[in-house]
Amino acid sequence: MIQVGIIGGAGYTAGELIRLLIHHPKVNIDFVFSTSNAGNHVAEVHQDLVGENIKFSSEINLEVDVLFLCLGHGNSKAFLNKNEFSDNTKIIDLSNDFRLQKDEIFNGKAFVYGLPELNKDAIEKANYIANPGCFATAIQLALLPLAKSDLLKDDVHVNAVTGATGAGTSLSATTHFTWRDNNFSHYKAFTHQHLDEINQTVKNTQSDFKSDINFMPNRGNFSRGIFATLYTKFDDSLEDAKQLYSEFYNNAEFVVISEENIHLKQVVNTNNCILHLHKHKDKLLVTSIIDNLLKGASGQAVQNMNLMFGFAETEGLQLKANYF
């Protein structure tokens, strides 16, 4: 059994981590740290955990085997500057603090970008992981087979919708029920922060990629999930594309290529990414769906933990979608 610590225990990603880890056969939760909730039962915040006898802690064990950082963007670096963990403690950060190459070395710690379908071998040897963003995960998994074969020759156009949990637990004008209900909008058009890591991955995979990735993020009036559609010029046939994607993801535990049109309920509450391919004239359309809190955050973090400790990659992640 490995000992696990969670920092920033009151947020959505921490709640999902706890839900996954309490049933993980190789894990014991040592502490869930939250300054604002110390001493309270975790179920007072994460009400889906009622009956679980876990309390938020004000104490941090600097010797845990693995530490999950579920802090707001920009706060992980500050936290690690103030708290010096054992050299034996592996760290998985769920913020964007270490995802870019300019940030991957921090206080002597080398962070590996934690997209298993891209960096599995490096993750297995890593001590520090930068967990990818949710939009970034869905979009990169849709593009990687093309980039790996140097087939991205033109602009990529992306339209993706995320649920309300993607905005976190803090309330804002666009997260209230009265605003979200029966509503739809885009935000951060062409400038979303996940574009940096997406462009980094694509250009590292296909060095001659010089075109634009035009990303339109949207807010959906549902709680969780990401539905992304991407299209770009593709000269080969649909069958060629299907073979390319099937071969690329042949050994990927959580990526499925569907022959049928896909919809969001097929992935909610799972660590899966489902892809669907469609050819129209000289354009290839790729649809990519994930649960933003699982494959887009906490589930992928557990997947990375499994790889780092030599567990089965699917350990604790064999989840069924909430279809109805």
Side-chain angles (χ1 to χ4, degrees), residues 146 152 154-157 230-234 282-284:
L146 296 173
L152 289 174
D154 205 344
D155 286 359
V156 179
H157 301 273
L230 310 85
Y231 68 88
T232 191
K233 187 175 180 182
F234 184 74
D282 65 344
K283 301 291 192 302
L284 180 68

Side-chain angles (χ1 to χ4, degrees), residues 6 8-20 42 46 48-49 70 298:
I6 298 172
Y12 287 135
T13 56
E16 289 299 278
L17 267 175
I18 297 165
R19 181 172 72 87
L20 294 172
V42 166
H46 304 296
D48 55 336
L49 296 174
C70 301
S298 304

Side-chain angles (χ1 to χ4, degrees), residues 142 227-230 262 273-278 285-289:
F227 188 99
T229 53
L230 310 85
I262 56 181
C273 173
I274 304 180
L275 302 172
H276 177 262
L277 306 174
H278 175 76
L285 172 68
V286 185
T287 305
S288 176
I289 55 173

Side-chain angles (χ1 to χ4, degrees), residues 1-7 17 21-22 24-33 54 60-69 85-86 88-92 127 305-306 308-309 311:
M1 301 287 285
I2 61 171
Q3 302 301 311
V4 168
I6 298 172
I7 304 295
L17 267 175
L21 294 176
I22 56 176
H24 195 293
K26 305 290 179 63
V27 164
N28 178 64
I29 298 177
D30 186 280
F31 66 87
V32 181
F33 179 79
I54 304 173
I60 298 172
N61 177 4
L62 299 174
E63 303 287 334
V64 288
D65 296 304
V66 59
L67 182 75
F68 291 94
L69 296 177
F85 285 81
S86 164
N88 296 320
T89 297
K90 299 180 188 292
I91 297 174
I92 301 173
N127 289 321
M305 179 196 73
N306 287 339
M308 295 167 81
F309 285 92
F311 304 151

Side-chain angles (χ1 to χ4, degrees), residues 50-282:
V50 63
E52 299 293 338
N53 189 27
I54 304 173
K55 288 186 176 182
F56 291 107
S57 173
S58 61
E59 302 295 324
I60 298 172
N61 177 4
L62 299 174
E63 303 287 334
V64 288
D65 296 304
V66 59
L67 182 75
F68 291 94
L69 296 177
C70 301
L71 298 168
H73 301 312
N75 294 330
S76 292
K77 287 182 178 179
F79 177 84
L80 292 178
N81 275 329
K82 293 179 181 177
N83 298 274
E84 188 172 346
F85 285 81
S86 164
D87 290 340
N88 296 320
T89 297
K90 299 180 188 292
I91 297 174
I92 301 173
D93 179 49
L94 279 75
S95 79
N96 66 3
D97 285 20
F98 308 109
R99 292 172 187 164
L100 302 183
Q101 287 170 338
K102 66 182 179 67
D103 300 313
E104 65 184 6
I105 306 297
F106 179 76
N107 290 350
K109 298 175 173 64
F111 280 80
V112 170
Y113 189 66
L115 189 65
E117 294 77 14
L118 177 68
N119 290 327
K120 184 175 181 178
D121 291 343
I123 292 166
E124 290 175 338
K125 301 170 187 174
N127 289 321
Y128 310 107
I129 294 293
N131 217 57
C134 51
F135 273 130
T137 295
I139 293 167
Q140 287 174 110
L141 292 177
L143 291 177
L144 274 173
L146 296 173
K148 188 67 174 178
S149 296
D150 297 326
L151 291 174
L152 289 174
K153 302 298 185 183
D154 205 344
D155 286 359
V156 179
H157 301 273
V158 185
N159 195 293
V161 190
T162 188
T165 52
T169 57
S170 298
L171 285 175
S172 68
T174 59
T175 58
H176 284 278
F177 176 79
T178 50
W179 194 94
R180 284 269 180 171
D181 185 42
N182 292 315
N183 207 357
F184 192 91
S185 69
H186 72 71
Y187 67 107
K188 297 182 181 178
F190 307 107
T191 63
H192 194 279
Q193 64 272 15
H194 289 182
L195 265 175
D196 291 336
E197 58 188 286
I198 296 167
N199 276 305
Q200 175 177 273
T201 292
V202 170
K203 290 174 181 177
N204 285 345
T205 306
Q206 182 178 326
S207 59
D208 66 348
F209 180 72
K210 308 295 183 185
S211 301
D212 291 328
I213 298 176
N214 301 294
F215 176 29
M216 186 66 64
N218 301 284
R219 304 179 182 96
N221 65 342
F222 49 91
S223 293
R224 58 196 293 168
I226 288 176
F227 188 99
T229 53
L230 310 85
Y231 68 88
T232 191
K233 187 175 180 182
F234 184 74
D235 293 329
D236 296 329
S237 69
L238 177 59
E239 291 308 313
D240 290 332
K242 289 179 179 179
Q243 182 176 352
L244 179 73
Y245 276 71
S246 295
E247 289 177 357
F248 187 89
Y249 289 119
N250 182 50
N251 295 315
E253 295 285 357
F254 293 105
V255 180
V256 177
I257 315 297
S258 174
E259 287 288 335
E260 305 296 328
N261 285 331
I262 56 181
H263 56 86
L264 207 49
K265 279 192 172 184
Q266 292 173 283
V267 292
V268 170
N269 195 48
T270 79
N271 196 54
N272 295 335
C273 173
I274 304 180
L275 302 172
H276 177 262
L277 306 174
H278 175 76
K279 185 81 187 292
H280 178 72
K281 297 182 180 179
D282 65 344

